[in-house]
Amino acid sequence: MNLPNMLEAKKRSKNKVNYEYFNLDYSDKFKDKKYYIRTYGCQMNVHDSEEIKALLERIGFSETNTMEESDLVILNTCAVRENAHDKVFGFLGRCKHLKKEKKDLIICLCGCMAQEESVVNEVLNKHKYIDIVFGTHNINELPNMLLEKIDKLNINVKSIEGDVIEVGNLYKRDSKTSAWVNIMYGCDKFCTYCIVPYTRGKQRSRKSIDIINEVKYLKENGYKEITLLGQNVNAYGKDIENEINFSELLESVAKIGIERIRFVTSHPWDFTDEMIDIIAKYDNTMPYIHLPLQSGSDRILKLMGRRYTTEEYIKLYNKIKEKINNVAVTTDIIVGFPNETEEDFESTLNVVNTCKYDGAFTFIYSPRIGTPAASMEDKISLKEKEERLQRLNEIVNKYSLENNQKLIGSIQKVLLTDISEKDSKKLCGYTENMKLVNVECDKNLIGTIQNVEIIDAKSFSLDGIIE
Ligand code: 5AD
Ligand code: SF4
């Protein structure tokens, strides 16, 4: 049995949601089979895993949290930094070991790393126990690949991304309260250090009508919060003729009336005044912006291909802070880009001291094969880069703590989503401006928004009690 070719399916469905694709019956083949999935990397990958889970369950699999119990292990991988590669191949060692005891175990590698030619070669040469490899452009072909697997390695990675195909709301969402909603795939920015435009392909926006319908569906099904997802959400719609822009999309989604709307990630380059006004205008567009800086040195920003100066960035930052009430801003920073001098690094510290971020994800630059930066000469030692990272983190953590301490005694609206990881007697959730709060309260409050009084603050979380 074969799945219909997806492009033909798209023609038939004339851009409508293609449910037909899922009416095929695999239930006998995979009935009673279990899958175990491990996800590395960004929210995009987490959401892709939700799609993979839904596909597998449609064809008869059920999920297990114990790898030893599974018939299929899926590793959904990230390629942004080298250490992600090491972690995945470290874990594959465990899978190989398990396969010695369980001969029929199917091992599957997918996601961004699977789009890297060097990784595919590594699998072919060194990791022959892996059964299936598929990339970010052909998740929907997984059921077919499972059927076709007859004791041979099945590599199916597409270098060219297809059109966006709507397959309905087919995700096994991890949460019943907060949902990821893809608004676009890929990225056209080609920052010189970044592998994403190569692994995830060119920017492809979903149609606004499909996004709006998905958000309506989520609201009707009790979701309180949605996060619009894209590598560069502000550029939404620019790749489709006659499509609305991101501000218009945000406004349309806000009008649906779901309680909380968030979005990640923004690029400072495409961030418009109109966007700031919409976030300020609607109560349900949350006052939280993740605004990656990457470097505070204009020389390095230019080498990174970021297309803004620190002056432009700070101007945008100030506008956001002035216009959006209570807004929190976080960022991403890379230290040790090729030949970053002490002076360049200190410029980054200066911007951090100006913006006093609520939080920052900080990384040591990691050369990725095939990106322009990977062939730049670099004389800075790893030790020096590690020292810089430590200096940066100390400053970043100091501001996170200071910003959090300012909230002690205030009442914050918290959407309680989970049992706290730190203390199983508590629930945890996020304030409107994305601060994690641990709250001692009744477990029945999961999925509700509560007024919480903040009683203590640390760099990465707050403690609170129900008002
Ligand atoms: N090395 C280190 N950090 C990187 N990032 C992206 N590519 C690299 C790289 N080659 C960081 C950026 C980006 C975040 C998701 O990962 O800061 O915003
Ligand atoms: Fe990578 Fe730059 Fe695109 Fe972000 S905007 S995904 S850093 S290329």
Side-chain angles (χ1 to χ4, degrees), residues 1 44-45 85 266 374 464:
M1 191 192 324
M44 198 71 80
N45 267 16
H85 173 281
S266 297

Side-chain angles (χ1 to χ4, degrees), residues 295-301 303-304 334-349 377-381 384-385 388-389 391:
S295 168
S297 150
D298 287 342
R299 188 183 79 84
I300 297 287
L301 282 175
L303 288 173
M304 286 177 161
I334 298 176
V335 299
F337 188 79
N339 284 330
E340 178 193 64
T341 62
E342 176 60 24
E343 200 187 339
D344 291 321
F345 175 64
E346 281 172 14
S347 306
T348 298
L349 297 185
E377 186 205 22
D378 188 6
K379 294 204 183 102
I380 314 291
S381 71
E384 203 164 335
K385 294 182 186 197
R388 285 183 190 164
L389 183 71
R391 281 162 64 198

Side-chain angles (χ1 to χ4, degrees), residues 80-81 193-195 290 292 294 332-334 361 363-368:
V80 168
R81 283 169 293 275
Y193 52 82
C194 185
I195 201 162
H290 184 64
Q294 311 300 5
D332 288 345
I333 297 171
I334 298 176
F361 299 95
F363 313 101
I364 291 183
Y365 167 71
S366 165
R368 306 309 295 129

